[in-house]
Amino acid sequence: MSSAAAIDVEPENFMDVGSHLHHATPGTMELQKAQNSPTNTLHVMEYLAANVDLAKDLVAKCSAVAQKLMDDDLLGITEDLDNVIKNISNELNKIPVSTFASSRFAEPAVSGHLQVVRNRHDLYDQHSCDGYSEGDMSMVVAIERPRRRTLHNSDMPRLVDFLQGMYQESHEFGGQSFNSLPEVAEYVEPLYDSFFCPLTNKVMVDPVTTESGVTYDRRAIEDYFEKFTDSSEPVICPVTKMAMQSKTLRNNIPLKSTIAEWITRNEATRVRITRTALSMATTEAMVLEAIHELKVLARLRRKNRDHMHKIGITKFLARLLDHKDALIRCDSLDLLCLLVEDDAGKEIIAKTRAVSRTIKLLSSSSTDERHSAICFLVELSKSELLLENIGSTAGSILILTTMKFNGSDDPIAAEKAGEVLKNLEKCPKNIKYMAESGYLDPLQRHLVEGSEDVQMEMVSYLGELIQKQEMTINIAGSASEILIKMVHSGNTAIRKAALDVLVQISSHHPNGKTLVDAGAVPVMVEQLFIRKIDDEPMGSKTEAAAVLANIVESGLDPEAIVVNKEGHVITSKYSVYNFAHMLKCSMPDTLNLSLVRVLLALTTLPKPLTTVVSVMKEQDSSQTVIELMGSLSELLGIAATRLLIALSPQMGHTIAEKLCKAPGQPGKLVKSIGLNGRITERHAMSATLLAKLPYQHIALNLALLNRGAVTTMLAKIDEMQRGETRASRYAKAYMEGLVGVLVRLTTTLYDPDVLLAAMDHNLTSVLTDLLVRSVGSDEVQRLAAVGLENLSSQSPNLSQLPTEERRPKKKNILRRLREAHAGRVHDNRRPPAHIRVCPVHRGVCSPSTTFCLVEAGAVEGLLCVLESNDNARVVEAALGALCTLMDDAVDVTSGVAVLAEHDAARHVLRALRQHREDGWGGSDGGGGTVARRCFWAVERFLAHGGERCVREVTSDRALPSLLVSAFHKGDAATKQVAEGVLRCLHRMPDYSASYESVEL
């Protein structure tokens, strides 16, 4: 049957082995017509049938009278049975093989049967075999009764007919029906009764013969013998019921060989039948049963798997992975797991699309299907032939890594996925694919444990990843040490690759500590400041500086970052001096960018900031930074501007002075701010710098004025308010910078040019509008309030009566003091009736010429800020602007009256209550300043307000406790104003003596 098993049988032509001899195929037709052969084949077959019948009779006779026969009778029957077998063998030998030459199946089938009979004849001719006598052998053969169908049934259907009948309607042949594929195979290759153990009724695995001459399966008879533990009790044969004197068992080698041959033929037949069923695939049930049968056969022995490979089952199963039925896909995967245990199966799968189909099934919603798919991949990944195929399949590594990391969802799949990934590491390309999918552990492991060539390959992969995509890399300490050692290598290419990787690794801030612990900082400092090789490209210094910048920006304590063996830290003057000294316009922009980033990161802490300011002043580096601010490199320009902003609180006047002297500045900044298009970070930083430099620097303010800064700022503010500027994440900072530039001009109104510009552009109305329309932007509201305060402070000086009005004579000092004490201060100027005079400033006012808050309508906006904004700095600025209307330079009574009309006392008292928890002291613009200004305003309300205003203040129940608390805990300035309010409320004695002047 081995030759028959090697034939790839097409399903539609495949027929069972038994039908090869009897079905009306061309081969059997030639067999029937072989009249010129030495012996007519049909006669031979009839003669064989007769001998078989004779053998049956002999066996029946022997069985019927077995207990009564004497040895001579038994010997005679045995001799007769032996002659029958010899006759069958002789007749079979007369059939030439050429008789079946035209049949694909008859030759191997008949040849196989002939060989079996010949082998049996040769065995039976031996006088003894492994201790068996002729009588024993005769008994063994006598009980072998073949269970076979008639040989002369010319209506034998094809295998396809059997299978169609099984799955469509009951198919019967010869009074038998077939419900499973094994039954069909058994019908094709029938069993003999002698194959079955009398005790278990199963085909024997290890047949042995007892003293009684009956053959059993060894395990079954040994279990039976264990029942007879008492040596005095005779052992009874379970079949003959004869007492046996011995438990000796003899191997029945002929029967064992026959069973083995039958098993081989039967399994080969089952494989071919199942292949036919798979090819037909008329129903899902047929396919599922076929796959189940193949799984049983594949588990039995490797020879069956080889047979499946040869007849195309393995290749066919790969196509079933696309089947619509999930059970078929799942069972196909299970069977493929068995078939790819050997290299032959893996080679076949490598030529199919099974891998890509299996990868898709890893995302199945069915747990069983996912498990089957991952188990199949585990088997495939054991072959180096398929490693690259699996790794290069789209989505394979990503799905496997996701499955591995989500172990809580499916622990079994996670474990198997890890096993697949571990196998895939044997292919270097797969390590790269894993890194691209975010799984860097294999790459780092090979970087540390691999050979020098492997390490270089891993570094090369990391470099490629960095160039292709930005990705977060969590590096291990051991891998960091390897990369740092590579930086010391004399090979420029190796050092360049390692530095590139370190730049990317250090950009992920959690890696900062790992790199510091691995000793990266001293190596980078050496590369940047000390190492000098003639052919060394400047890129190495650039990358070393970038690594240092990333480490400093990672959030580590800079005081703990040591830069050399001498113990200098990165915040020391030694380090800062070297960074600032290397900062030159002649250096590459990327190098300057990293140096600026280091200095900028150091300015975030007070102590390093002091060191940076000291070094910058000594080396006059601020001029270089100002020049870098105009670099064509966007990043460098932004970083330089940020550094100047950070330094401005400490050396703002120096920066402003250098900026005015720099070629083209500050015109370049103004031009940059006014560029049309989307608001960028550079626009926002440029505006912020001008807003952060000292406001009172008159040279800078005049320079801005001369460069058209006011017009530019107002135009951009108008564009933003109308929504003409495209949305940007930097819009808020940009708007704050624009307003800040306008506000800085209000601090130098003493200059005629600035004053004229403020009048020409009506800054009072502009800032009032910003105050009202910028709800939600605290800084813009604060700046607008500060600007209004500065403008309003100039109103008393700008507000005047008409020029034709003659001023009255001055009163003597004594009379003026008396009238002031009596509260009867009057402005004796009498303007013409047709001219409207501002009650607060006692002159003709307007928003543009005198910056009057009352005329500009700013009072309502400022009070609204007090009501709606909880930011202490904004409230403080709003109070400052309102207090200018009650200052000694104006008509206080009229100012209080104007504010009272808008219910200002209630808003002020609310602000006082709102910010009482912010503290009572300090000069940082916090709650202490808010309270101090509130108390000052309350005192003015009590001293100069009308009855309604005074009643509203005194009726506030929280005010006394707030005053007492401020008096106890406040600083000197707060305590003083609180005392004044308490005195107005008659809760404090008036220590200043009041005397009325008596006129003599």
Side-chain angles (χ1 to χ4, degrees):
M1 294 301 294
S2 61
S3 60
I7 300 175
D8 188 355
V9 184
E10 295 295 331
E12 61 272 11
N13 296 329
F14 177 74
M15 295 161 50
D16 57 80
V17 176
S19 65
H20 295 328
L21 296 177
H22 314 295
H23 198 279
T25 62
T28 56
M29 290 175 66
E30 289 186 11
L31 175 63
Q32 294 170 359
K33 295 178 180 179
Q35 300 297 333
N36 58 348
S37 59
T39 305
N40 188 283
T41 305
L42 183 59
H43 293 167
V44 171
M45 302 305 293
E46 290 176 349
Y47 183 84
L48 288 174
N51 279 279
V52 171
D53 293 336
L54 178 59
K56 289 182 179 179
D57 293 337
L58 290 171
V59 173
K61 181 178 179 180
C62 183
S63 300
V65 295
Q67 296 182 357
K68 300 178 181 179
L69 290 176
M70 302 301 292
D71 291 342
D72 293 338
D73 296 329
L74 186 62
L75 181 60
I77 294 173
T78 304
E79 290 176 352
D80 292 340
L81 185 59
D82 185 53
N83 290 330
V84 170
I85 294 174
K86 289 180 179 180
N87 292 335
I88 294 173
S89 175
N90 292 332
E91 294 299 324
L92 289 174
N93 285 327
K94 294 178 182 180
I95 303 176
V97 175
S98 62
T99 304
F100 307 99
S102 63
S103 172
R104 292 178 60 194
F105 313 107
E107 179 177 337
V110 174
S111 299
H113 283 84
L114 293 176
Q115 187 62 39
V116 170
V117 176
R118 289 167 184 162
N119 291 342
R120 291 179 183 175
H121 176 63
D122 294 338
L123 288 170
Y124 291 149
D125 278 346
Q126 299 176 4
H127 294 290
S128 64
C129 183
D130 195 20
Y132 282 84
S133 64
E134 284 189 6
D136 293 335
M137 284 297 181
S138 300
M139 178 60 71
V140 171
V141 175
I143 66 174
E144 294 180 1
R145 293 179 297 151
R147 235 175 358 110
R148 313 193 78 159
R149 61 181 176 274
T150 176
L151 296 173
H152 300 290
N153 191 341
S154 60
D155 297 328
M156 176 75 68
R158 296 188 308 158
L159 176 61
V160 173
D161 300 329
F162 278 114
L163 297 176
Q164 288 178 344
M166 283 178 57
Y167 294 97
Q168 295 177 4
E169 57 183 9
S170 178
H171 180 83
E172 295 187 2
F173 177 78
Q176 298 182 3
S177 61
F178 305 103
N179 298 316
S180 66
L181 295 176
E183 290 182 9
V184 177
E186 185 179 337
Y187 183 75
V188 173
E189 187 62 46
L191 284 165
Y192 293 88
D193 290 340
S194 59
F195 291 177
F196 292 89
C197 175
L199 294 177
T200 63
N201 200 30
K202 296 181 180 179
V203 176
M204 291 179 283
V205 177
D206 187 8
V208 293
T209 304
T210 63
E211 182 183 309
S212 63
V214 181
T215 301
Y216 303 92
D217 193 55
R218 179 183 294 277
R219 183 173 181 180
I221 192 62
E222 287 178 349
D223 292 342
Y224 175 79
F225 283 166
E226 289 180 359
K227 299 178 181 178
F228 299 92
T229 55
D230 189 356
S231 59
S232 62
E233 183 180 359
V235 179
I236 305 301
C237 176
V239 174
T240 64
K241 307 302 180 184
M242 295 174 54
M244 295 184 294
Q245 301 301 321
S246 172
K247 296 182 181 179
T248 303
L249 302 175
R250 297 185 180 93
N251 292 323
N252 193 335
I253 294 178
L255 182 57
K256 186 174 183 180
S257 176
T258 303
I259 292 174
E261 292 172 0
W262 176 86
I263 289 174
T264 301
R265 295 194 307 275
N266 175 265
E267 291 178 358
T269 302
R270 289 165 66 185
V271 169
R272 292 197 300 275
I273 291 173
T274 309
R275 172 68 174 88
T276 304
L278 276 179
S279 299
M280 292 173 58
T282 56
T283 64
E284 281 79 6
M286 176 186 288
V287 178
L288 289 172
E289 183 176 356
I291 295 174
H292 176 72
E293 176 72 359
L294 288 172
K295 284 195 286 188
V296 173
L297 294 169
R299 291 189 180 100
L300 287 176
R301 66 195 84 257
R302 178 174 179 176
K303 188 174 182 180
N304 291 335
R305 298 196 293 271
D306 292 339
H307 190 189
M308 295 177 195
H309 298 329
K310 291 177 182 178
I311 65 176
I313 290 178
T314 306
K315 186 176 181 180
F316 183 82
L317 287 170
R319 296 199 299 270
L320 288 181
L321 298 182
D322 281 335
H323 200 279
K324 63 180 180 179
D325 189 276
L327 288 176
I328 292 178
R329 296 196 302 268
C330 190
D331 283 359
S332 299
L333 287 167
D334 293 339
L335 177 54
L336 283 171
C337 281
L338 298 173
L339 295 178
V340 298
E341 289 180 357
D342 54 73
D343 292 337
K346 293 183 176 70
E347 290 176 3
I348 295 173
I349 290 298
K351 299 175 182 178
T352 67
R353 296 174 55 195
V355 172
S356 60
R357 292 165 179 162
T358 305
I359 295 301
K360 293 180 182 178
L361 297 180
L362 291 178
S363 302
S364 172
S365 58
S366 169
T367 303
D368 293 338
E369 194 168 13
R370 286 198 309 272
H371 289 178
S372 298
I374 193 64
C375 289
F376 181 43
L377 281 180
V378 169
E379 287 298 327
L380 294 181
S381 65
K382 295 177 182 178
S383 171
E384 294 184 1
L385 180 66
L386 288 161
L387 291 178
E388 186 173 350
N389 188 358
I390 296 173
S392 61
T393 301
S396 60
I397 300 296
L398 182 60
I399 294 174
L400 288 169
T401 52
T402 303
M403 190 176 288
K404 172 183 170 63
F405 294 142
N406 295 338
S408 58
D409 298 337
D410 193 342
I412 297 176
E415 181 182 355
K416 294 293 183 182
E419 188 175 345
V420 175
L421 291 170
K422 184 67 176 177
N423 293 335
L424 294 179
E425 291 181 23
K426 298 173 185 176
C427 177
K429 287 186 178 180
N430 288 337
I431 298 176
K432 178 183 177 182
Y433 297 148
M434 293 178 195
E436 290 175 345
S437 299
Y439 183 39
L440 291 165
D441 291 348
L443 191 149
Q444 294 191 48
R445 185 165 54 253
H446 283 76
L447 180 62
V448 175
E449 301 173 359
S451 62
E452 184 176 348
D453 293 339
V454 172
Q455 289 177 343
M456 276 302 305
E457 192 172 12
M458 296 302 104
V459 172
S460 175
Y461 286 160
L462 276 176
E464 291 180 21
L465 291 174
I466 293 168
Q467 292 179 359
K468 290 182 180 179
Q469 60 186 29
E470 295 182 4
M471 59 184 303
T472 299
I473 300 177
N474 292 303
I475 196 71
S478 54
S480 301
E481 293 175 359
I482 295 297
L483 291 170
I484 294 169
K485 288 180 181 178
M486 288 181 175
V487 175
H488 281 292
S489 172
N491 189 324
T492 302
I494 295 176
R495 184 164 54 256
K496 177 69 167 58
L499 282 170
D500 286 339
V501 174
L502 285 172
V503 170
Q504 182 63 25
I505 290 171
S506 61
S507 65
H508 184 46
H509 289 171
N511 290 329
K513 187 176 186 310
T514 303
L515 292 173
V516 171
D517 294 341
V521 175
V523 175
M524 297 303 112
V525 169
E526 179 183 354
Q527 289 287 321
L528 184 60
F529 299 129
I530 301 174
R531 189 182 183 100
K532 294 185 183 297
I533 300 179
D534 293 337
D535 60 348
E536 183 74 20
M538 186 61 71
S540 296
K541 294 183 179 295
T542 300
E543 289 144 2
V547 173
L548 289 173
N550 290 335
I551 291 176
V552 176
E553 291 175 346
S554 66
L556 297 175
D557 181 10
E559 297 287 348
I561 301 177
V562 180
V563 299
N564 56 21
K565 297 179 181 179
E566 287 73 20
H568 291 113
V569 294
I570 205 164
T571 59
S572 65
K573 194 169 184 178
Y574 163 83
S575 302
V576 175
Y577 180 88
N578 281 285
F579 287 124
H581 181 71
M582 182 169 278
L583 201 61
K584 293 181 177 64
C585 295
S586 58
M587 291 291 183
D589 286 346
T590 50
L591 176 58
N592 282 327
L593 173 61
S594 298
L595 295 172
V596 170
R597 287 173 55 203
V598 172
L599 295 173
L600 180 59
L602 295 178
T603 60
T604 58
L605 297 176
K607 185 176 178 181
L609 173 60
T610 304
T611 305
V612 173
V613 170
S614 175
V615 171
M616 295 287 283
K617 287 182 177 179
E618 289 179 9
Q619 296 195 14
D620 200 17
S621 300
S622 57
Q623 187 67 43
T624 303
V625 178
I626 290 172
E627 293 177 11
L628 295 177
M629 188 173 57
S631 170
L632 296 177
S633 170
E634 184 86 2
L635 292 177
L636 178 56
I638 293 171
T641 308
R642 283 184 174 276
L643 179 58
L644 293 174
I645 293 172
L647 296 174
S648 61
Q650 303 290 329
M651 49 185 299
H653 287 281
T654 302
I655 295 173
E657 184 178 349
K658 298 290 183 182
L659 184 64
C660 292
K661 295 179 180 179
Q665 295 290 4
K668 291 181 179 179
L669 282 176
V670 175
K671 183 178 179 180
S672 172
I673 294 171
L675 291 176
N676 294 323
R678 187 182 183 87
I679 299 172
T680 65
E681 186 178 6
R682 194 166 193 172
H683 294 150
M685 291 301 101
S686 297
T688 302
L689 174 62
L690 293 178
K692 294 294 184 182
L693 291 175
Y695 282 6
Q696 292 81 14
H697 198 283
I698 186 62
L700 177 59
N701 289 354
L702 291 174
L704 291 173
L705 195 62
N706 295 331
R707 299 302 189 280
V710 178
T711 303
T712 301
M713 305 302 141
L714 291 175
K716 302 308 293 185
I717 290 173
D718 186 57
E719 287 181 12
M720 294 192 68
Q721 288 181 333
R722 292 201 309 265
E724 296 179 0
T725 306
R726 286 182 293 175
S728 169
R729 57 183 295 192
Y730 306 107
K732 181 179 178 182
Y734 182 61
M735 185 66 168
E736 292 171 356
L738 295 177
V739 178
V741 174
L742 295 179
V743 172
R744 70 174 296 112
L745 297 177
T746 65
T747 61
T748 54
L749 293 172
Y750 56 84
D751 185 88
D753 293 334
V754 177
L755 181 62
L756 182 60
M759 291 179 177
D760 291 342
H761 294 93
N762 196 5
L763 290 187
T764 307
S765 297
V766 171
L767 295 177
T768 300
D769 187 58
L770 287 170
L771 184 74
V772 176
R773 297 177 61 177
S774 300
V775 177
S777 178
D778 290 351
E779 183 62 14
V780 171
Q781 286 190 326
R782 187 191 72 83
L783 289 171
V786 170
L788 289 174
E789 179 182 0
N790 294 336
L791 292 169
S792 183
S793 299
Q794 299 297 321
S795 295
N797 300 326
L798 299 174
S799 180
Q800 296 180 359
L801 289 173
T803 56
E804 66 272 10
E805 180 68 20
R806 191 176 60 182
R807 302 182 67 88
K809 293 182 179 180
K810 294 183 179 180
K811 298 181 181 180
N812 62 66
I813 296 176
L814 186 61
R815 185 175 180 181
R816 291 180 62 188
L817 288 174
R818 185 169 59 251
E819 290 179 350
H821 180 70
R824 294 181 279 107
V825 177
H826 299 289
D827 187 356
N828 293 327
R829 292 175 292 179
R830 295 288 185 270
H834 64 278
I835 297 179
R836 184 174 179 272
V837 176
C838 174
V840 179
H841 301 116
R842 296 169 294 192
V844 178
C845 286
S846 71
S848 59
T849 58
T850 64
F851 314 133
C852 179
L853 301 185
V854 178
E855 294 296 328
V859 175
E860 295 87 342
L862 293 168
L863 291 175
C864 184
V865 170
L866 295 183
E867 181 72 24
S868 61
N869 202 307
D870 296 331
N871 189 313
R873 298 182 72 236
V874 178
V875 172
E876 174 200 346
L879 285 170
L882 290 170
C883 288
T884 59
L885 299 178
M886 298 183 289
D887 192 72
D888 291 336
V890 301
D891 190 326
V892 180
T893 303
S894 299
V896 170
V898 170
L899 293 177
E901 291 177 3
H902 295 87
D903 202 12
R906 182 177 62 83
H907 291 86
V908 171
L909 291 172
R910 179 189 176 280
L912 180 61
R913 291 191 301 270
Q914 185 77 18
H915 297 278
R916 61 181 173 183
E917 296 181 358
D918 296 336
W920 302 108
S923 57
D924 57 349
T929 306
V930 171
R932 186 162 59 249
R933 291 195 170 184
C934 285
F935 288 148
W936 187 90
V938 168
E939 182 183 11
R940 293 285 166 154
F941 291 148
L942 291 174
H944 302 280
E947 181 179 352
R948 178 174 171 273
C949 182
V950 172
R951 185 169 61 251
E952 187 167 1
V953 172
T954 55
S955 63
D956 189 286
R957 291 181 294 180
L959 181 60
S961 62
L962 294 174
L963 290 167
V964 172
S965 179
F967 187 75
H968 288 165
K969 303 175 182 179
D971 58 11
T974 304
K975 183 180 295 186
Q976 183 178 358
V977 293
E979 182 180 356
V981 178
L982 289 171
R983 188 176 297 110
C984 291
L985 293 174
H986 305 294
R987 298 201 176 196
M988 286 282 291
D990 187 357
Y991 296 106
S992 59
S994 297
Y995 302 98
E996 285 193 11
S997 298
V998 180
E999 291 188 37
L1000 298 177

